Amino acid sequence: MELFYAHYPSLEKSFVRFVRSRRQNPLEPWLVVCASSFVARRLSGVLAQENGAVANIHFLTGSALLRALDAEQGAALPEFPQDNLRDFLLKDILTEPGLNRYPVSRGFVHALKASLRDLADSLADPDVLEEHLQTSSDPVLSQEAERFSWLVRVYRRFSEREAQVPGYRPYQEMFERALSGVENSAFLRGFKQIVFYGFYDMPGRQLELVNRVCKTHPSAVFAPYKKHAAYRFAQKFFETNWLGASPAAEDADENDFGALGASGAYVFAPQGAADAPGVNIVSAADPRGEVFFAAKEILRLTEKEEYEFGDIALIARSVTPYQDEVRRAFKQNCIPLDASFTYPLSKFPLGVFCLNLFSLAARGFDRDTVLAVLSSPYFKAEQKYKWRSLASSSLVSRDLSQWKDLLPQTKDYDPAFLTWLEACQTRLSALNAPRAWADAAALARAFLADNTDETSFRGKDAEIYRAVCDKIDSFQKYASVRAQSRAGEAVEELTDALNPLSFNEAESVRGGVTFTDAVRARGLQFKAVFLLGMNEKLFPQIVPEDPVFRDRYRYLLRDVLGYWVNQKLERVDEERLLFFAAATAAREKLYALYARTGADGKESVPSVYLAELARAARLTWTAEETPRVSGRISEQIASVAPEFLTPKELSFSVILQPESARENYRQAGLLTDEISRSLSAAHALAETGEPNLFDGFISAGAEIFARANDGAGFSPSALQELAACPMKYFFDKGLNLEEKDDVLSRRELSPDKRGTAYHEILQDFYTELSRLGLTHNVFDSAALEYLDRALDGRYNRESYKAFGIYPVVWELILQDIREQLSAFVTDDLKNLGPFTPSYFEKEFTRLDAPGLPFKLRGVIDRVDVDAEHKAFVVADYKSSKKGTKNLAADFFTHLIFQPFLYVLAAEKLPELAGYSSAGSCLLSINKGYARRDLEPSAFEALRPRAEAFLTLLSDYIKKGAFFLNPSDLCDFCPYAAICRRDSFKCLMRARKSAQSRQLEEARHAE
């Protein structure tokens, strides 16, 4: 075996020289086994460029070589798969006596599976391990003996069970079969030269294959290694396995560090530095800013410096945080990509639907999961929109029993919805019952098919659905491990199997910009490289110790017993090597980018590797010439030459200069009708004169007024909203954007439900006292007893089910209601005078009130009647003490309209014909009793001004004057983000409008 070693750039040159000098006949068959398919493609391209052709030079990866050797031995059973079937076997083993040491969870099984794979790859013999445990005098090992012994027993048992699974063969059996054929392999003998390229580390099993090939066939190894601090991770493997096995080793390194130049020699060195003109450190506001800079600089390099897109690469330690933004930005900038993107099942709406559907019972039919299923476009039920509305308006939180209790009480109840929920419970319970795995698969497939609307599939949906169905069908293979499922097992196994599913989306444009991670980038070279994510926790990644196969055990296997396996914490040193390889992959230009904040907006710390690069290359981070990407879009765009802007960005840059925007759009050829309208709108918004269409002054006011007036009429609360902020009224009532509050809470009773409870209890209380003739002749103690009866008649300890409240919380709420009403009724009875509460919850609609140009609607809480004097008082309950004792003044200052409007309404009630008004009052039910009255004289004095004010409000609607009127209530308004209250000119136009001044004068006039 010949050995050539160098850092990647020099190693590639050495390989090219080796091929040119040793391959005398261009048709000689050679085999090159590479560390990755990326490296194989790179070497093939380099050889084609250098030699013009690569005929008869075959490139394989290590795993592909192993399978070629196995196939040469003839037909055989398939390998035992690495997917959920392996997980299931491992879970089953962990239930066996003596091995059930730890609770079985998905995370633990995945960690254990990785540990067993490392043990198997090291070719560790369980007999040797157990013997060493029994004979070792190591005091540290003796403390861990029981734990390590358990791991060895699981390792042995897994190997035994894997070999017993019918229809499959263990990976080790395939490996040994392939290995046995190496010496006499016609496949290998067909090559004049075999080369292993790019391996700086490998597990013991792979190392055994390489050694066997090298001993029996003409071989050469090209190993990435250099006496450099960055290669500390590879040093032990190189010296033990490569250098020690080769009688002829050539150091082929030429100190080629690409764009780093001489500074590359000092990266991670204790001292020393050199200038590196080709290295740039770029500070971006966030990850999106990093991609923005990379895209614009790539355009500049290709347009101004004649780079090809294929000469450029984006490299990140992990592509996941960047892949969506890279795809979006590069598509907008018309930059071709050569990349593959991987997304989990949960990334796709159909995948989320499938997971939610099978999780309904496991999550206790909780409200959010049920709504997620009903809201999915893939849900098959014809009534799904009706069911979604029903579920949203219900008080259900979770649990099927709660759905059964509360759904029938919900408005527009549809029994079919409850039937579907019960059917889901029945079918998922049947799936979870002990049964043959093939039957479980059939039940799961049928349940999914019956609830999935395949006609709604678009794009990748059909592929995703097939993958989900295939994974469900794979349950049949579980029978090879255990014939039947256990109770409660199947659904959990199903979700565990579905969650790891992933899907690739390739954008492989030949000659496009490469986007890959640091592991796949090893051994590649480009003219320009953008290193993304140079922040702590991103690069380097945090490498935790294996919680199962601990480093102490790994040290024992490698350094004591001779089984090659690395310690996990040594991977920290591999992070160094990955960074060094990625940085030196840039031949001419290297851009190292870091974000000042993360995607979540939190401050991010630059990577220690970035600091080391800056030190070695004599770069100052804070220098003025250091590129800095702003977080503001306007500043980002301003930093880029116009020819590199996308149409959208160019549009944005033009709009920043409104005085010349239209002409600039015209010159750029971007002036469309839509943009022209937008410019007109922007111009109108920038004006300081009279309010316009964009300020809520519209021409459809009369239609909005008629819609309300011809319907049920105007309620006091709607008129109050109009007086407080006409624009909010327009959003709610004009555009119908108003959404009902979510009244569901397991921890409290919503204000409207509490108010309803107060009203119902008080109605029953006063009705009973009136029936018995005790309204004006009852002691406090007796009154409280009647109150208790009224409360118990409406609500009891089981009433929590009707509200979806926790039982314990409901007990506290009941106690609080009792205390609040007890304090209220004792004082209220004393303040009734000659009046008796007689009418409750009197609803009225389309009521014509004299003096008002619109119809009224509403509900009067209570009317107290003095039958002897033919008089009545309107009472309105309040749970707060908003306002003052002067209700006439509060009509304007606090916009409390009920005391005035309800008197007008009561005068029109048939029940009160022949009665005169004795005024109205507000009754506060909040920590005691408070009464505020609007006397008849005050009512009459208020009436002309109140009618004029309400008429003014109705005129605003008719004329379409829905202007902005900011106040403290804006903090609770759902439209605060769209009403432009923060725009100075919009606010100024509203404040200076005649309507706004008129409203203020009407409210504050004496």
Side-chain angles (χ1 to χ4, degrees), residues 624-893:
E624 292 184 3
E625 62 272 15
T626 299
R628 183 179 177 89
V629 182
S630 172
R632 296 180 177 179
I633 298 177
S634 58
E635 293 182 4
Q636 287 182 0
I637 292 174
S639 68
V640 178
E643 63 262 39
F644 301 134
L645 295 176
T646 67
K648 183 177 180 180
E649 292 165 346
L650 184 60
S651 176
F652 193 95
S653 68
V654 168
I655 205 67
L656 294 176
Q657 303 170 7
E659 65 282 351
S660 58
R662 188 176 296 274
E663 181 58 29
N664 290 339
Y665 270 115
R666 184 177 289 109
Q667 291 181 3
L670 298 174
L671 187 61
T672 63
D673 290 343
E674 183 180 357
I675 289 179
S676 182
R677 289 193 297 270
S678 298
L679 289 173
S680 298
H683 179 74
L685 289 171
E687 290 295 308
T688 56
E690 293 297 317
N692 53 57
L693 176 68
F694 303 100
D695 298 309
F697 284 73
I698 64 172
S699 60
E703 178 184 338
I704 295 173
F705 177 85
R707 191 168 62 208
N709 202 50
D710 295 344
F714 291 86
S715 68
S717 60
L719 293 168
Q720 287 168 191
E721 181 180 73
L722 177 63
C725 182
M727 184 168 283
K728 184 175 188 298
Y729 178 90
F730 172 65
F731 286 141
D732 275 343
K733 306 298 190 295
L735 298 179
N736 294 319
L737 299 179
E738 184 177 21
E739 292 185 2
K740 293 181 180 180
D741 293 334
D742 188 354
V743 299
L744 178 64
S745 172
R746 296 279 280 164
R747 298 174 177 82
E748 62 183 359
L749 196 61
S750 63
D752 65 325
K753 295 297 180 182
R754 181 181 280 266
T756 300
Y758 285 157
H759 289 204
E760 291 174 342
I761 295 167
L762 290 175
Q763 178 177 345
D764 292 351
F765 170 72
Y766 286 117
T767 300
E768 181 66 7
L769 288 185
S770 178
R771 186 184 69 82
L772 297 173
L774 297 177
T775 304
H776 302 285
N777 188 25
V778 64
F779 293 110
D780 287 354
S781 58
L784 294 179
E785 183 177 340
Y786 283 111
L787 177 67
D788 286 343
R789 292 180 186 176
L791 192 152
D792 293 340
R794 287 280 184 175
Y795 304 102
N796 56 45
R797 295 183 64 181
E798 298 299 315
S799 299
Y800 71 89
K801 297 177 181 179
F803 298 104
I805 300 288
Y806 291 118
V808 175
V809 175
W810 176 245
E811 291 283 343
L812 297 175
I813 290 173
L814 271 183
Q815 180 180 343
D816 182 62
I817 290 175
R818 194 181 305 273
E819 291 174 356
Q820 296 280 6
L821 292 183
S822 296
F824 174 81
V825 298
T826 52
D827 285 341
D828 190 37
L829 288 170
K830 296 171 185 176
N831 287 275
L832 288 175
F835 293 89
T836 300
S838 303
Y839 302 103
F840 306 90
E841 306 302 314
K842 296 301 296 182
E843 184 176 2
F844 58 91
T845 59
R846 308 193 77 245
L847 186 143
D848 287 309
L852 296 180
F854 51 80
K855 294 179 174 62
L856 288 174
R857 68 177 177 89
V859 179
I860 300 174
D861 292 344
R862 192 178 94 192
V863 180
D864 299 345
V865 172
D866 179 357
E868 181 180 350
H869 298 94
K870 296 290 184 176
F872 68 84
V873 172
V874 173
D876 193 58
Y877 297 131
K878 294 294 180 186
S879 58
S880 67
K881 296 181 179 179
K882 176 184 175 183
T884 67
K885 292 184 177 181
N886 187 346
L887 289 183
D890 285 347
F891 183 96
F892 300 100
T893 56

Side-chain angles (χ1 to χ4, degrees), residues 273-424:
D275 292 334
V279 178
N280 296 275
I281 294 178
V282 182
S283 167
D286 51 27
R288 189 166 186 166
E290 294 181 63
V291 178
F292 174 85
F293 175 86
K296 300 308 178 185
E297 184 65 4
I298 288 172
L299 292 177
R300 191 192 67 81
L301 290 173
T302 54
E303 292 290 331
K304 301 297 183 182
E305 300 192 24
E306 298 183 353
Y307 277 57
E308 299 290 337
F309 286 118
D311 295 332
I312 303 169
L314 268 69
I315 301 175
R317 181 60 182 89
S318 170
V319 299
T320 302
Y322 291 93
Q323 60 183 12
D324 288 343
E325 182 59 23
V326 167
R327 297 185 77 177
R328 185 199 65 81
F330 278 44
K331 181 178 181 180
Q332 286 189 351
N333 286 276
C334 300
I335 299 174
L337 269 173
D338 185 4
S340 178
F341 304 90
T342 302
Y343 295 98
L345 178 66
S346 58
K347 179 75 173 179
F348 301 93
L350 177 57
V352 173
F353 168 74
C354 295
L355 292 171
N356 283 332
L357 184 66
F358 284 111
S359 301
L360 280 170
R363 296 176 185 171
F365 288 90
D366 70 286
R367 178 190 184 91
D368 290 341
T369 305
V370 171
L371 279 171
V373 171
L374 299 179
S375 302
S376 173
Y378 305 105
F379 184 48
K380 198 172 189 176
E382 293 181 1
Q383 312 95 323
K384 61 182 178 182
Y385 300 113
K386 181 180 179 181
W387 292 359
R388 182 177 65 187
S389 177
L390 183 59
S392 298
S393 58
S394 76
L395 291 172
V396 179
S397 174
R398 62 177 293 120
D399 194 74
L400 189 59
S401 62
Q402 208 177 80
W403 289 101
K404 293 178 180 179
D405 289 337
L406 300 183
L407 266 186
Q409 304 176 34
T410 307
K411 184 180 178 181
D412 300 325
Y413 168 61
D414 181 2
F417 178 29
L418 186 56
T419 301
W420 175 78
L421 288 171
E422 291 173 331
C424 288

Side-chain angles (χ1 to χ4, degrees), residues 724-725 894 965-973 976 981 991 1003:
C725 182
H894 293 285
N965 189 30
S967 68
D968 294 339
L969 298 177
C970 290
D971 293 337
F972 309 100
C973 178
R981 64 182 179 129
R991 288 279 171 82
R1003 288 187 62 179

Side-chain angles (χ1 to χ4, degrees), residues 595-608:
R596 300 188 292 277
T597 61
D600 57 1
K602 295 181 180 179
E603 185 176 356
S604 294
V605 179
S607 169
V608 63

Side-chain angles (χ1 to χ4, degrees), residues 218-233:
S219 304
V221 171
F222 285 79
Y225 181 73
K226 177 180 175 61
K227 292 183 179 180
H228 189 284
Y231 275 90
R232 185 166 63 188
F233 172 77

Side-chain angles (χ1 to χ4, degrees), residues 555-596:
Y555 168 80
L556 167 67
L557 262 69
R558 188 185 69 182
D559 293 3
V560 177
L561 300 178
Y563 298 114
W564 192 266
V565 60
N566 280 311
Q567 298 179 44
K568 280 293 183 181
L569 293 182
E570 289 179 347
R571 294 292 175 185
V572 174
D573 288 333
E574 187 178 19
E575 291 292 304
R576 279 186 171 194
L577 181 51
L578 291 174
F579 167 73
F580 190 65
T584 53
R587 297 201 304 272
E588 297 177 4
K589 294 181 183 293
L590 172 67
Y591 301 87
L593 298 97
Y594 72 96
R596 300 188 292 277

